[in-house]
Amino acid sequence: MKHFGWSVWVLVAWVALSVFGQIISIDSTGIEVKHILNGPSWQSWFGYDDLGRSVFNRLLSGSYTSCVVSLTVITISVSVGTIIGTISGYLGGFVDTVIVRIIDIFLAFPGILLAIALAGIMGSGVDNVVIALSIVGWVGFARLARAQTLSIKHREHVLAAEAMGTRRRMIIVRHLIPLISTPIMVEATFGVASVIIAEAGLSFLGLGVQAPDASWGSMIRDGTRYMLIAPHLVLIPGVVLMSVVLSVNLAGDRLRDWMDVKTRFDGNKAN
Amino acid sequence: MRTLFVLSILIAVSACSHPESTSIRFGLANAPISLDPRFATDATSSRINRLLYQRLVDFDDRLRPVPSMATMVRLSDTHYRFHLKKSGRLFDNGSRLTARDVMATYQYVMDRKNASPHRGSLASIKRMEVISDDEIDFFLSRTDSLFPGYLTIGILPKEVIDNNISLDRQSLGSGPFRFVDWPGSGNLVIERRSDKQRVEFIPVKDATVRVLKLLRGEIDLLQNDLPVELVSYLKKKNKFRISGRPGSNFTYLGLNMREPLLQDTNVRKAIAYAIDRKTIIKYLLGSYTRVANAILTPGHWAGYKGGTPYSYKPGTARSLLERAGYNKENPLILEYKTSSDPLRIRIATIIQKQLKEVGIEVRLRSFDWATVYGDIKEGRFQLYSLSWVGIKNPDIFRYVFHSQSIPPRGANRGAYNSLVVDRLIEEADQAENDRQSSILYQEIQKIVLDELPYIPLWYEGQVLITAKSIEDYRLMPDGNYDGLLDVRKQKP
């Protein structure tokens, strides 16, 4: 933990508050007209929004949304991308050509634009955001997994397994995926950050979470209308979003360093 | 190269030098759509067209039809003669406005193949006859006590109509202002004939950006379409003149009478008692907004003069719901459609909360304007909220409540059907004089208020914010821009 620094504590707090908010079932939609657009005060540290709803409660609710969306999207993208990429790299030939072409087509299109188009076609809602981001997200992992597979598929242990007549499925699951998991895990941490941003972006455009449910992106969108009179509506979710994304990226960086045996070994020697 | 650079900087600086402009810059929430009075229906276009064109009839403070560019004589129940006034009849193209132009304009609008949205209101005109350059007769197919009030369409030159010249983005009127320019992506500029004072309309959709432009001096004048919080913010700045007045634009909650759930009067009344209109007005709409009881304001010659029967009484609402057979185990569940305008969503969310407090579950659905308006016209709704803007004639009752006015024939979108109201509307149309028709309209509004096909909410207030250099602009009850006739801008 110490190795990862403060960023991991921010992430632990993010996940813990998301879960905690759900356990105590905070009221993120309770309206109090007399509190409309009230700024932060001793009674309410984060103030109230344009319908008199507690910004703190909505932040917790939005935190749960971003947590669930990012973890679900990354789980789906990593699983699908790794399997497809490994199969493609290991089998080669026609299968590889077709998969690489499909990956190229996906990569030729800006990811967020494709997600916006998909979310637009499927309609708004958290589930559709998850589907749209997963459709876009698997490609990066597939490419990485394929490249890693190509670099290790001629290693002796794989050739030995093939010579012993091990089935291809077993080779992929036992001898390839465990060896390529390190870079994929590192990539996944960066993926979490981009999904959080993408979800906020889609919600900002009105394609994500639907009112009255909260999401950081939709909170920022709603807040922009009151930038002059109640800047806390944009600043607070903006700073929280930035902190979480920054922490995820920093944690990803540290994870990469930590998992790189050479760097870790050299680092230890230096110490 | 260096000269070119300096020149480009100078051009850029001059492009940013809005604040020193001598024209009056009027901030708009929506750009006008068409400057052709035969086709314009949106509020912004209609308000600007009032400045560019003259019309036969206008309305006084109590919204009675009064002569505008013509005096009227009622020769019989179905025969009206209009004498055009002598002066101020020059079109922008230099020709003089005559009775032939009046006839050409109305004939164009009444012609089915031209598909003018104003054709419906002129259905009672049988024919017209030009007596002289200054006189025109209108013959009606039936007695219609509201008739002169329909003649509010701006008069165009006959030559323009005959040559089929498009007037969507230009104008050839004879009104107090003349058209100057409206480039493709630029702002509409018009000029007051009397003193050549120019007015530039600057459309800015986002209210915050509009206010920022006002603060920066890029806009001189803002009228309405501002959240109450932004008005309070500007008040604190102490850099602007801020005034307001009660308005006449009517906001209501429409109910679908085809829905079995809403056919019970107790349910409709329960909804009316459950909405705390005063609180919504206080926190979201500002002090110039008034609680409404009918479409026409109490100041209108045919407006409802009675009291407010539905004040906020959650207890009464709960007992009415119980009487209708609803309780905690069997709650009333309704769907409420509204546009995606942020203020409308805020209001709808608060109404949803207030209805929940008395045991009515409301599912809120917000769509873009075209979708929600389409659904409402097709009758695909249980509850919806909309506003009637610029209503002057009591013919609105026929349009909205007559059983023959179910869309597409009218705007009876909730399919309200009352034989008594139908009969009273017919009688009011045939009434001998205003006094008699006023009594009948009062009766109609009383019945409607009791049966509640609409739940009246409020008349939205008017607010005006001007730079200190702007003087003599008057706010109008329906939010039109006639204040520009007298407005002045002091030189800096």
Side-chain angles (χ1 to χ4, degrees):
Chain A
M1 279 297 204
K2 197 181 163 190
H3 180 83
F4 290 95
W6 60 270
S7 58
V8 83
W9 294 112
V10 174
L11 295 182
V12 168
W14 171 48
V15 176
L17 285 174
S18 305
V19 176
F20 175 70
Q22 291 304 304
I23 291 171
I24 61 161
S25 58
I26 44 119
D27 181 12
S28 65
T29 55
I31 293 169
E32 276 301 334
V33 281
K34 60 177 185 290
H35 293 317
I36 282 178
L37 296 179
N38 282 357
S41 63
W42 286 113
Q43 284 76 34
S44 168
W45 290 2
F46 288 0
Y48 294 89
D49 72 359
D50 61 338
L51 282 164
R53 298 174 295 199
S54 160
V55 171
F56 180 73
N57 287 359
R58 292 187 71 71
L59 267 182
L60 286 193
S61 176
S63 160
Y64 177 74
T65 309
S66 62
C67 193
V68 166
V69 170
S70 55
L71 295 182
T72 317
V73 169
I74 287 302
T75 309
I76 296 172
S77 303
V78 166
S79 316
V80 174
T82 309
I83 291 167
I84 292 178
T86 318
I87 291 173
S88 171
Y90 181 60
L91 295 184
F94 178 71
V95 176
D96 186 41
T97 311
V98 171
I99 291 175
V100 169
R101 288 289 161 270
I102 294 172
I103 291 175
D104 284 345
I105 291 169
F106 271 89
L107 287 176
F109 216 76
I112 189 69
L113 210 61
L114 190 61
I116 290 170
L118 288 168
I121 293 165
M122 292 186 294
S124 42
V126 179
D127 38 359
N128 287 342
V129 166
V130 169
I131 296 169
L133 292 177
S134 303
I135 289 175
V136 177
W138 69 273
V139 188
F141 295 102
R143 200 171 60 152
L144 180 64
R146 179 180 170 274
Q148 294 291 323
T149 307
L150 285 177
S151 72
I152 62 165
K153 78 179 202 180
H154 297 300
R155 282 194 186 172
E156 287 82 356
H157 76 285
V158 181
L159 296 175
E162 279 173 353
M164 287 170 74
T166 312
R167 282 181 299 168
R168 284 172 166 182
R169 199 173 62 189
M170 290 303 286
I171 293 174
I172 290 173
V173 174
R174 287 225 175 140
H175 304 298
L176 294 177
I177 291 182
L179 284 184
I180 63 170
S181 59
T182 303
I184 286 179
M185 272 171 67
V186 173
E187 176 73 9
T189 52
F190 295 123
V192 170
S194 8
V195 172
I196 294 171
I197 294 274
E199 185 276 324
L202 289 176
S203 294
F204 184 87
L205 295 172
L207 294 167
V209 171
Q210 288 300 288
D213 295 332
S215 142
W216 292 343
S218 60
M219 285 173 78
I220 294 173
R221 179 198 58 199
D222 295 343
T224 51
R225 286 192 284 271
Y226 308 100
M227 273 292 277
L228 284 174
I229 29 189
H232 68 280
L233 295 184
V234 172
L235 291 178
I236 292 174
V239 167
V240 169
L241 179 67
M242 191 196 74
S243 316
V244 169
V245 171
L246 183 66
S247 305
V248 172
N249 278 326
L250 284 177
D253 253 354
R254 299 284 172 89
L255 182 70
R256 187 180 56 198
D257 295 348
W258 187 72
M259 285 189 145
D260 187 338
V261 180
K262 208 174 157 194
T263 322
R264 195 163 28 144
F265 181 69
D266 289 349
N268 286 343
K269 222 161 69 168
N271 288 333
Chain B
M1 192 66 191
R2 204 171 149 181
T3 324
L4 203 69
F5 178 73
V6 172
L7 204 67
S8 63
I9 294 275
L10 279 176
I11 291 170
V13 168
S14 68
C16 300
S17 64
H18 280 289
E20 286 91 41
S21 171
T22 52
S23 60
I24 293 168
R25 291 151 308 172
F26 194 116
L28 295 175
N30 300 297
I33 292 170
S34 167
L35 296 184
D36 191 334
R38 296 168 296 176
F39 294 101
T41 50
D42 64 295
T44 310
S45 304
S46 310
R47 287 164 181 167
I48 294 173
N49 284 341
R50 281 179 60 81
L51 305 169
L52 295 169
Y53 295 91
Q54 294 195 81
R55 61 215 82 82
L56 291 180
V57 171
D58 212 342
F59 296 91
D60 66 7
D61 288 347
R62 298 200 63 208
L63 298 170
R64 287 176 209 271
V66 289
S68 175
M69 63 165 295
T71 52
M72 183 194 78
V73 184
R74 184 174 169 173
L75 299 173
S76 79
D77 282 353
T78 56
H79 183 189
Y80 292 80
R81 175 163 295 169
F82 289 87
H83 299 267
L84 304 184
K85 66 181 183 186
K86 295 278 179 240
S87 57
R89 277 169 52 186
L90 270 189
F91 281 121
D92 285 342
N93 62 5
S95 62
R96 187 173 157 78
L97 191 156
T98 69
R100 264 171 283 279
D101 299 312
V102 177
M103 183 152 156
T105 304
Y106 278 97
Q107 264 177 344
Y108 186 95
V109 173
M110 286 159 61
D111 192 340
R112 184 187 292 267
K113 73 172 191 296
N114 295 324
S116 164
H118 304 297
R119 185 175 154 263
S121 62
L122 304 175
S124 58
I125 299 175
K126 193 169 150 195
R127 66 186 176 89
M128 289 164 281
E129 200 177 300
V130 173
I131 309 294
S132 69
D133 269 5
D134 302 333
E135 282 181 313
I136 182 168
D137 280 6
F138 282 79
F139 297 91
L140 307 187
S141 54
R142 58 180 163 83
T143 312
D144 187 346
S145 62
L146 300 174
F147 168 68
Y150 306 140
L151 301 180
T152 53
I153 294 169
I155 306 300
L156 303 164
K158 182 173 185 299
E159 190 189 333
V160 169
I161 297 169
D162 292 345
N163 294 327
N164 224 356
I165 296 171
S166 169
L167 291 176
D168 271 350
R169 288 186 72 89
Q170 58 168 333
S171 111
L172 276 170
S174 61
F177 280 79
R178 74 173 186 86
F179 173 84
V180 176
D181 195 16
W182 194 7
S185 57
N187 299 326
L188 168 65
V189 181
I190 61 175
E191 185 182 86
R192 196 157 56 198
R193 286 178 203 273
S194 56
D195 59 357
K196 302 215 178 310
Q197 170 65 57
R198 290 196 171 188
V199 176
E200 183 180 355
F201 292 98
I202 303 175
V204 183
K205 202 163 176 51
D206 188 275
T208 305
V209 181
R210 234 176 299 137
V211 167
L212 284 171
K213 278 183 172 284
L214 182 76
L215 288 167
R216 245 185 66 81
E218 291 176 24
I219 284 177
D220 298 315
L221 193 153
L222 286 177
Q223 181 179 312
N224 300 328
D225 299 312
L226 285 178
V228 64
E229 299 88 4
L230 276 178
V231 178
S232 313
Y233 169 79
L234 288 171
K235 256 184 202 160
K236 282 184 208 146
K237 289 266 160 199
N238 223 1
K239 278 170 67 183
F240 305 98
R241 290 201 180 94
I242 300 179
S243 57
R245 66 171 289 173
S248 60
N249 296 334
F250 169 73
T251 304
Y252 63 94
L253 196 65
L255 303 120
N256 195 342
M257 309 289 272
R258 301 176 192 92
E259 289 288 329
L261 292 174
L262 292 166
Q263 279 169 358
D264 187 340
T265 321
N266 287 322
V267 170
R268 301 198 297 271
K269 287 190 176 174
I271 298 172
Y273 280 120
I275 299 174
D276 185 358
R277 295 178 287 179
K278 284 189 175 159
T279 300
I280 298 176
I281 290 172
K282 182 177 172 191
Y283 290 102
L284 293 189
L285 298 163
S287 55
Y288 296 108
T289 298
R290 294 169 299 166
V291 166
N293 293 307
I295 298 180
L296 302 178
T297 59
H300 190 286
W301 66 271
Y304 172 77
K305 311 283 191 295
T308 302
Y310 302 107
S311 46
Y312 177 53
K313 288 179 187 162
T316 313
R318 273 187 216 103
S319 55
L320 282 165
L321 279 176
E322 265 173 42
R323 212 179 297 163
Y326 298 102
N327 48 44
K328 272 186 185 165
E329 287 73 41
N330 174 34
L332 174 63
I333 301 170
L334 293 170
E335 190 180 80
Y336 178 172
K337 287 189 175 173
T338 186
S339 74
S340 49
D341 176 80
L343 179 63
R344 301 294 144 200
I345 295 179
R346 278 173 87 191
I347 292 171
T349 312
I350 292 176
I351 290 179
Q352 178 190 37
K353 183 222 173 197
Q354 292 177 346
L355 293 181
K356 193 176 181 182
E357 280 167 8
V358 301
I360 303 172
E361 293 285 335
V362 173
R363 289 177 186 151
L364 205 56
R365 299 278 179 268
S366 71
F367 302 97
D368 61 286
W369 167 247
T371 311
V372 76
Y373 191 52
D375 279 0
I376 290 168
K377 281 201 290 190
E378 296 291 323
R380 288 192 297 265
F381 64 88
Q382 287 183 319
L383 299 178
Y384 72 91
S385 60
L386 277 185
S387 298
W388 283 111
V389 177
I391 297 301
K392 296 190 172 69
N393 246 339
D395 65 334
I396 186 74
F397 296 122
R398 175 182 283 278
Y399 190 56
V400 167
F401 296 129
H402 198 286
S403 60
Q404 297 296 313
S405 295
I406 290 167
R409 297 168 90 181
N412 185 357
R413 293 147 186 166
Y416 174 59
N417 191 345
S418 160
L419 288 175
V420 185
V421 169
D422 284 0
R423 182 176 53 78
L424 288 168
I425 290 170
E426 309 285 349
E427 282 178 18
D429 277 359
Q430 308 289 325
E432 300 267 316
N433 51 45
D434 284 357
R435 204 176 147 268
Q436 200 185 349
S437 54
S438 170
I439 294 167
L440 292 164
Y441 288 127
Q442 297 280 333
E443 190 60 26
I444 292 169
Q445 290 169 95
K446 226 169 109 186
I447 295 170
V448 166
L449 195 53
D450 190 50
E451 298 192 343
L452 286 178
Y454 270 21
I455 293 175
L457 296 176
W458 44 74
Y459 303 112
E460 281 178 22
Q462 309 281 333
V463 63
L464 172 75
I465 299 153
T466 61
K468 292 253 162 99
S469 57
I470 299 294
E471 287 178 347
D472 298 338
Y473 186 92
R474 278 182 308 124
L475 267 175
M476 299 294 162
D478 67 348
N480 70 34
Y481 307 148
D482 286 7
L484 290 173
L485 297 176
D486 304 313
V487 69
R488 287 185 299 119
K489 183 174 183 176
Q490 282 179 344
K491 287 195 179 124

